[in-house]
Amino acid sequence: MIAQTLKQAMQVFDPNKPLESDEYYVLREHNPLKKMEVYLLNNPGFQKILFSGHRGSGKSTELNRLFVSEAITSNFFS
């Protein structure tokens, strides 16, 4: 669905839910995903990473993208 009005756009981008497709995802210049992936893969044991930001800023979306990484799924999920 291509939003033609602000109301339609708000229906697509529910701040209480992460994006489920890459259709609306914008890769940022300083995206931290690769750094997080390298950190997780090179530091054995339990790791803690703090995600902070206002509601709707993309925290869950970024985590979802991290969890579909081939390196992460093959090392952390059976």
Side-chain angles (χ1 to χ4, degrees):
M1 172 179 149
I2 297 176
Q4 301 295 324
T5 65
L6 181 58
K7 183 177 181 179
Q8 289 174 341
M10 293 300 288
Q11 290 171 344
V12 172
F13 297 109
D14 182 351
N16 296 314
K17 297 178 184 175
L19 291 176
E20 294 179 5
S21 78
D22 287 342
E23 184 177 356
Y24 302 106
Y25 182 79
V26 176
L27 185 61
R28 296 170 293 144
E29 182 179 349
H30 300 290
N31 189 309
L33 285 180
K34 193 62 180 172
K35 287 181 184 178
M36 285 189 292
E37 184 178 301
V38 169
Y39 177 79
L40 290 169
L41 294 172
N42 292 310
N43 291 290
F46 293 104
Q47 301 300 318
K48 297 175 181 81
I49 299 174
L50 172 67
F51 277 79
S52 65
H54 60 84
R55 185 177 79 166
S57 64
K59 300 176 296 291
S60 296
T61 299
E62 294 295 347
L63 280 174
N64 285 342
R65 291 182 62 80
L66 179 65
F67 291 146
V68 298
S69 159
E70 180 67 34
I72 294 296
T73 55
S74 64
N75 283 287
F76 292 98
F77 300 100
S78 18

